Amino acid sequence: MTPEHKQYRIHIRGIVQGVGFRPFVHNLARRFNIAGSVVNDTSGVRIVAEGQAADLVLFLSHLETEAPPLALIDEIHWDEHAPRGLQQFKILASTQVAGGITLISPDIATCDDCLRELFDTDNRRYRYPFINCTNCGPRYTIIGALPYDRQSTTMAGFTMCPACEHEYEDPADRRFHAQPNACWSCGPRCQLLDNQGQYLPSPDPIRQAAEFLNQGRILAVKGLGGFHLAVDGTNEAAVRELRRRKRRDEKPFALMIRDIDRIRRVAPVSPADDILLRSPHRPIVLLPKGDDHGIAPSVSPRNRYFGIMLPYTPLHALLFAEPGIEILVMTSGNFSEEPIVIDNRKAVEFLGTIADYFLVNNRDILIRNDDSVVRSFRDATVFLRRSRGYAPRPIRLDWDLRPSLAVGAELKNTVALGRDQYAFLSQHIGDLENYEVFSSFESSIDHLETLLDIKPQLLAYDLHPDYLSTQYALSRQADIELEGVQHHHAHIAACMAENGWRDPVIGLALDGTGYGTDGCIWGGEILIADLADFARPYHFEYQPMPGGARAIREPWRMAASYLYAAFGAEFKSLPLEMVRQSDPQSVSLLVQMIDRRLNCPDTSSLGRLFDGISALCGIRRQVLHEGQAAMELEMCLEETTQGGYEFPRDEGRILILPLIRSVVTDLLDQVDVSTISYRFHRGLVDLLVEICREIRQREGLDTVALSGGVFQNAWLSHQVVDDLLKDKFTVLFHRTVPCNDGGISLGQLAVANFRHTR
Ligand code: ZN
Ligand code: ZN
Ligand code: FE
């Protein structure tokens, strides 16, 4: 040994198991003449490395820069020890360490190496629809328990053939310890079924499926996290038929498109979008519709965007290699608002009236996981839904969390578990309004607690007494501390937590519905908040919401409520299209409800104001999903030179009746709806910036956190961020969790932990 010969002991934390990390380390060690060993334990990976000092430095730096694509390195620690003259580099068997934590990888799109083999006629996995390796394939959706090995996945029933076994055992192989490793002779297979569940014999089920799609048939296709319903995206009759059978009115369908060049002919793709589309997470990316896109109009009616993703499983790749298959609608296999179906038998039972044929397989899905939906925003990714490809990747906070659970809100529910410095957000669970979704909520909590080995001592929930998530929290029998967190405080806290921010901020919490501390329905709140608490210096004025939740589905009710407040009973004779189209009897009933305060909760919701303006403009009177009317108001916006509407204030109350009167005046003057939409958006941005300036002057705060579903509005988000930055504010916006209620669980977790650890 020369004096330059040294030993480092290296400890790596992060997602480093089940992602090909040990073979990577092994190969790296060979490359730099390093002797020693690598071992997995429950706290991460430990390496003993001996070699020349210069080689060790290279080895260390490459550990980080060349880590396998699925790995997520959180921390690398090393210290020097006396060298022992080791000669070889070995991979040692895994050990268990008490109190350790194993991070489970999300499901990852098929890698290029596997794709090459898939289409290589000489490869033993030629056209094998379940090809995968340590760098790609299913993970979270097939793991039932820890430790993560084949026995605890849904691959347990498939015994590896000698060839697969050999790859699995060979540290130098790219399938070393790839738990879902399989091939034609030992792994899962595809099958076609008709809509009665009868087996359809076919020499090549995938080719046959492609033929059906080319004929305009509707196919249910089993994927990674559940079934998709697939249909030719350029065939209007077929897409319309899918809408009819799925009972889904106008909510856009996602598209899967063969490759990036084909996508470019449908929608302009920015460099940031390109990276998102191709990333191994393979989310659905919202892209503005291009000219002459050639997509069936029913795919995304009344919307300026398409949701587009690239194929992400070998089965998709095989399907898109068939002639004629270029653009498919790929929408979740469910009826509106029910959880996505994951089971073959249930698929036929539930989707038999929608799909003509089923392309199934015998690899079970343990965890349902919908496609993620993102949009590029400035230098960041904005999540509309964070699920497949991302969950359960943790969000690292900069302080320690107690073992804790946050159960989220009602709509777009996610749950979050806390431990060490990690917040683990679940996949998208859905709207907790029916039994199916609620039971999926309960099983997701159980599953994550088991997988992450977290026994919560602290449980955070929303203050809304009627939320099923709240009821679950209050009824949970365990030795657990409970902490209620106000909905909009949770929104702002989520934004702060993921941005690593703890100092007080100005919080713009703008959304549809959240239970306020005064029992009213909040949703247009300007807060001063830190992680422990908040004040509410400004809010939109309360107006009655006639019929409660019904006013969410029927935005004309909000419009009528605003008109009544602004014009009195006279509003019934205003020569407005919206009034003309309303049934006089329903209107009278609604006025009586307001007069007698019957089922008319007060709301300051900005989401409802968007809905109301949308209905007032005649854009949409009724909706099938929350936010639809508001979104269509955004979609018709055309920028003009006219100024925004005024929002006068009475102390901290932002008045909206002057706005209603201005909109009515414009409508009566035949001003175009696109201009009204612009003036509304513009006025809102000016108001928000003005309020931030006032608070800065008074309180000395110059950081603004943006959260709440209203920020899904791309125009508004861009403009607010632009104007605040111009005014030298520091702006925090969401880049890791959704700004909508899908991010609430993170905020709850942060607040509850903050309150209970100080
Ligand atoms: Zn691969
Ligand atoms: Zn095999
Ligand atoms: Fe919300």
Side-chain angles (χ1 to χ4, degrees), residues 563-564 567-573 591:
L563 287 174
Y564 185 40
F567 296 95
E570 299 301 294
F571 89 88
K572 288 187 248 180
S573 50
V591 166

Side-chain angles (χ1 to χ4, degrees), residues 248 251-255 263 266-270 272-274 276-277 282-290 299-300 303-310 371-377 380-385 390 631 634-635 711-715 718 740:
R248 177 143 140 177
K251 202 169 176 178
F253 283 144
L255 294 169
I263 294 178
V266 169
V269 178
S270 73
D273 294 328
D274 186 286
L276 277 174
L277 282 163
R282 289 293 154 92
I284 295 170
V285 183
L286 296 188
L287 298 172
K289 290 179 178 175
V299 166
S300 175
N303 200 306
R304 289 180 179 176
Y305 293 86
F306 285 126
I308 298 178
M309 61 186 147
L310 285 168
D371 293 317
S372 295
V373 185
V374 304
R375 164 157 65 203
S376 62
F377 180 74
T381 305
V382 165
F383 283 86
L384 301 163
R385 183 199 290 154
Y390 299 94
M631 197 192 65
E634 176 198 352
M635 293 302 156
F711 286 104
Q712 293 173 115
N713 182 319
W715 192 92
H718 270 286
N740 60 42

Side-chain angles (χ1 to χ4, degrees), residues 409 467 487-488 491 510-514 708-709 739-741 744:
Y467 281 2
H487 188 94
H488 300 97
H491 268 307
L510 310 174
D511 72 349
T513 304
C739 66
N740 60 42
D741 286 3
I744 285 284

Side-chain angles (χ1 to χ4, degrees), residues 205-408:
I206 294 175
R207 271 200 179 126
Q208 181 62 54
E211 258 170 57
F212 287 141
L213 287 165
N214 280 329
Q215 291 161 12
R217 301 305 189 94
I218 299 171
L219 245 82
V221 180
K222 188 172 177 181
L224 272 181
F227 274 82
H228 279 124
L229 288 162
V231 77
D232 178 356
T234 60
N235 182 336
E236 173 62 11
V239 177
R240 218 182 303 140
E241 181 61 15
L242 173 60
R243 264 195 199 284
R244 193 187 65 76
R245 292 192 200 166
K246 206 183 173 206
R247 295 185 219 141
R248 177 143 140 177
D249 186 25
E250 289 192 341
K251 202 169 176 178
F253 283 144
L255 294 169
M256 185 177 277
I257 299 186
R258 192 184 55 203
D259 53 41
I260 204 102
D261 291 330
R262 190 66 189 85
I263 294 178
R264 285 182 199 284
R265 284 154 57 196
V266 169
V269 178
S270 73
D273 294 328
D274 186 286
I275 292 170
L276 277 174
L277 282 163
R278 282 196 237 235
S279 78
H281 316 290
R282 289 293 154 92
I284 295 170
V285 183
L286 296 188
L287 298 172
K289 290 179 178 175
D291 306 326
D292 304 323
H293 52 68
I295 302 292
S298 292
V299 166
S300 175
R302 296 213 222 192
N303 200 306
R304 289 180 179 176
Y305 293 86
F306 285 126
I308 298 178
M309 61 186 147
L310 285 168
Y312 58 82
T313 67
L315 187 141
H316 295 152
L318 290 168
L319 209 48
F320 278 89
E322 292 303 308
I325 306 292
E326 295 188 356
I327 297 174
L328 294 178
V329 162
M330 282 291 227
T331 184
S332 301
N334 57 359
F335 278 101
S336 300
E337 315 316 328
E338 277 175 21
I340 187 167
V341 174
I342 55 176
D343 179 76
N344 289 350
R345 214 166 29 82
K346 281 195 175 156
V348 175
E349 186 185 328
F350 291 139
L351 307 176
T353 55
I354 304 180
D356 299 308
Y357 299 100
F358 290 79
L359 184 56
V360 300
N361 65 67
N362 53 346
R363 184 178 72 198
D364 287 340
I365 301 170
L366 259 177
I367 290 296
R368 62 168 54 86
N369 209 345
D370 289 82
D371 293 317
S372 295
V373 185
V374 304
R375 164 157 65 203
S376 62
F377 180 74
R378 295 169 177 272
D379 61 338
T381 305
V382 165
F383 283 86
L384 301 163
R385 183 199 290 154
R386 182 184 183 272
S387 207
R388 195 243 331 131
Y390 299 94
R393 220 174 153 131
I395 294 144
R396 190 163 178 187
L397 306 180
D398 63 353
W399 81 96
D400 268 337
L401 299 175
R402 286 174 58 186
S404 47
L405 165 68
V407 291

Side-chain angles (χ1 to χ4, degrees), residues 362-656:
N362 53 346
R363 184 178 72 198
D364 287 340
I365 301 170
L366 259 177
I367 290 296
R368 62 168 54 86
N369 209 345
D370 289 82
D371 293 317
S372 295
V373 185
V374 304
R375 164 157 65 203
S376 62
F377 180 74
R378 295 169 177 272
D379 61 338
T381 305
V382 165
F383 283 86
L384 301 163
R385 183 199 290 154
R386 182 184 183 272
S387 207
R388 195 243 331 131
Y390 299 94
R393 220 174 153 131
I395 294 144
R396 190 163 178 187
L397 306 180
D398 63 353
W399 81 96
D400 268 337
L401 299 175
R402 286 174 58 186
S404 47
L405 165 68
V407 291
E410 177 95 330
L411 300 177
K412 302 185 168 72
N413 179 276
T414 61
V415 300
L417 279 149
R419 191 190 153 170
D420 299 341
Q421 297 200 323
Y422 297 116
F424 298 88
L425 237 68
S426 73
Q427 73 281 13
H428 164 83
I429 293 169
D431 298 348
L432 292 182
E433 292 173 326
N434 65 52
Y435 174 75
E436 287 283 326
V437 182
F438 183 69
S439 71
S440 164
F441 162 86
E442 284 186 306
S443 60
S444 297
I445 293 174
D446 290 346
H447 186 70
L448 275 168
E449 283 180 9
T450 309
L451 216 52
L452 300 165
D453 192 22
I454 296 176
K455 287 171 200 68
Q457 303 165 357
L458 178 62
L459 204 177
Y461 61 95
D462 194 276
L463 296 179
H464 201 307
D466 298 338
Y467 281 2
L468 288 178
S469 56
T470 305
Q471 289 169 11
Y472 167 89
L474 298 177
S475 67
R476 199 171 143 133
Q477 304 292 326
D479 188 14
I480 207 164
E481 278 182 88
L482 291 170
E483 187 66 42
V485 181
Q486 198 279 326
H487 188 94
H488 300 97
H489 185 209
H491 268 307
I492 299 301
C495 184
M496 293 172 68
E498 66 158 83
N499 281 286
W501 199 271
R502 284 202 242 177
D503 296 331
V505 298
I506 304 168
L508 306 184
L510 310 174
D511 72 349
T513 304
Y515 194 77
T517 50
D518 57 1
C520 293
I521 296 175
W522 293 6
E525 319 306 315
I526 290 92
L527 311 180
I528 293 177
D530 58 21
L531 288 174
D533 216 342
F534 71 97
R536 183 186 179 225
Y538 298 84
H539 66 88
F540 283 77
E541 70 171 301
Y542 288 135
Q543 289 296 338
M545 203 173 147
R550 207 165 151 193
I552 300 176
R553 294 188 298 272
E554 301 178 17
W556 74 269
R557 288 170 171 268
M558 288 314 299
S561 172
Y562 296 139
L563 287 174
Y564 185 40
F567 296 95
E570 299 301 294
F571 89 88
K572 288 187 248 180
S573 50
L574 284 170
L576 291 172
E577 196 54 36
M578 181 258 146
V579 177
R580 262 200 297 276
Q581 279 187 18
S582 302
D583 164 38
Q585 234 177 341
S586 311
V587 172
S588 300
L589 215 67
L590 182 130
V591 166
Q592 281 177 36
M593 278 172 82
I594 296 175
D595 286 344
R596 297 186 198 157
R597 314 294 292 164
L598 279 172
N599 194 14
C600 275
D602 274 331
T603 187
S604 54
S605 164
L606 190 58
R608 295 293 84 74
L609 183 59
F610 266 90
D611 282 357
I613 302 289
S614 181
L616 194 53
C617 290
I619 296 170
R620 185 158 282 275
R621 296 173 57 81
Q622 306 208 5
V623 297
L624 283 140
H625 60 271
E626 209 221 0
Q628 188 180 7
M631 197 192 65
E632 287 172 11
L633 182 65
E634 176 198 352
M635 293 302 156
C636 75
L637 177 155
E638 305 268 4
E639 298 196 17
T640 71
T641 51
Q642 295 198 44
Y645 294 123
E646 299 281 341
F647 288 83
R649 272 170 283 150
D650 176 13
E651 304 280 311
R653 238 162 28 106
I654 302 157
L655 305 181
I656 58 173

Side-chain angles (χ1 to χ4, degrees), residues 140-153:
Y140 179 51
T141 51
I142 62 165
I143 302 175
L146 286 183
Y148 172 48
D149 59 27
R150 191 171 177 105
Q151 282 318 305
S152 47
T153 70

